[in-house]
Amino acid sequence: VQLKADTGLGRGGCQPADWAELVAGALRAQAEGLLKVTGLWSHFACADEPGHPSIAAQLLTFREMVAYAEAQGVEPEVRHIANSPATLTLPESHFDLVRPGIAMYGVSPSPEIGTPVELGLRPAMTLSASLALVKNVPGGHGVSYGHHYVTAGATTLGLVPLGYADGIPRHASGGGPVLVEGKWRTVAGRVAMDQFVVDLGGDEPGEGTEAVLFGPGDRGEPTAEDWAQASGTIAYEIVTRIGSRVPRVYVNGEQSG
């Protein structure tokens, strides 16, 4: 087992005031052959906010709690506290191993730390669909539930067969960006359960034309961070909320499991 120290995040883990009791209990159990303590660890609360005072405070507390455990006889194989932002920006927090999470997607932990390019990351996930329908509509035509979007003039609409049941944020209604034939389009009106509409501005791509919601940005397409900004959330949520109905295609490797 590995003993988790709550150094300030306030989720799982043992409070400093109870650490001595936990360490003593773990050592007793180890002596009885019930378990082996292989690690000591914790987790940062604000490592994605450079300069936040809690970062140094947590690091100090972790060092103190590790030192106490080791002084009592714990011999950890690994000590670890660094999440993605700490892995990228706080070498003093690396200890014996690091735990990159969102960085494994190639996504920046936060805009304050830097863009993926600045951090040496490349987003690994692209979400796209094929336009299911393209049609001409007159000006003054309401689009999607509630008619929160009304066409300013005669235009073309494209139907994208993805919706909030697939993980597309409903909060991105009226703001989510989509690349169609080299041009950024915006979700027109509300995102529905299985579909949403983009105003193509009179362009007439054929049905089946690719609509790219997000990707690494190599082709000028939006990124997960762009969708996060449009939805009032973080890129972590965008890439992890895509549902099981969306087919996965694995590139440069084989699906495992």
Side-chain angles (χ1 to χ4, degrees):
V1 300
Q2 301 202 3
L3 308 183
K4 184 177 184 181
D6 180 4
T7 57
L9 180 60
R11 293 192 317 200
C14 179
Q15 281 280 299
D18 302 318
W19 188 241
E21 181 182 357
L22 176 63
V23 169
L27 287 172
R28 284 195 300 272
Q30 181 169 272
E32 294 170 9
L34 300 175
L35 55 83
K36 180 180 180 182
V37 179
T38 61
L40 303 170
W41 68 292
S42 189
H43 197 77
F44 282 116
C46 304
D48 56 349
E49 301 178 37
H52 195 285
S54 69
I55 299 173
Q58 282 195 255
L59 197 54
L60 176 61
T61 299
F62 184 60
R63 292 184 189 279
E64 291 174 346
M65 294 174 79
V66 166
Y68 175 84
E70 292 178 340
Q72 298 302 306
V74 175
E75 298 178 350
E77 297 171 11
V78 289
R79 301 159 299 161
H80 48 104
I81 188 174
N83 53 0
S84 286
T87 298
L88 293 165
T89 66
L90 294 168
E92 65 271 28
S93 72
H94 289 181
F95 291 92
D96 300 304
L97 58 81
V98 296
R99 305 191 309 267
I102 193 64
M104 293 294 290
Y105 283 88
V107 174
S108 170
S110 75
E112 291 77 18
I113 287 180
T115 65
V117 172
E118 292 169 341
L119 296 170
L121 303 173
R122 184 178 185 278
M125 182 178 179
T126 296
L127 178 64
S128 64
S130 300
L131 293 179
L133 175 68
V134 176
K135 64 182 178 183
N136 296 290
V137 296
H141 200 296
V143 178
S144 196
Y145 294 125
H147 284 182
H148 290 273
Y149 182 84
V150 177
T151 57
T155 189
T156 46
L157 301 178
L159 189 66
V160 180
L162 288 168
Y164 54 76
D166 303 298
I168 308 305
R170 191 170 182 270
H171 284 306
S173 297
V178 182
L179 184 75
V180 180
E181 291 193 327
K183 295 180 181 180
W184 272 37
R185 306 298 186 179
T186 303
V187 175
R190 285 183 178 167
V191 173
M193 184 184 296
D194 304 296
Q195 55 201 282
F196 65 84
V197 177
V198 291
D199 190 331
L200 298 169
D203 292 344
E204 297 185 11
E207 281 88 359
T209 297
E210 184 183 45
V212 183
L213 281 72
F214 62 81
D218 296 348
R219 298 180 289 164
E221 75 273 19
T223 64
E225 181 60 37
D226 292 317
W227 272 83
Q229 294 293 327
S231 308
T233 186
I234 58 175
Y236 295 55
E237 183 176 350
I238 299 299
V239 296
T240 59
R241 66 181 293 153
I242 304 304
S244 60
R245 302 196 313 177
V246 179
R248 268 66 170 169
V249 177
Y250 295 83
V251 180
N252 298 329
E254 296 182 0
Q255 181 178 3
S256 60

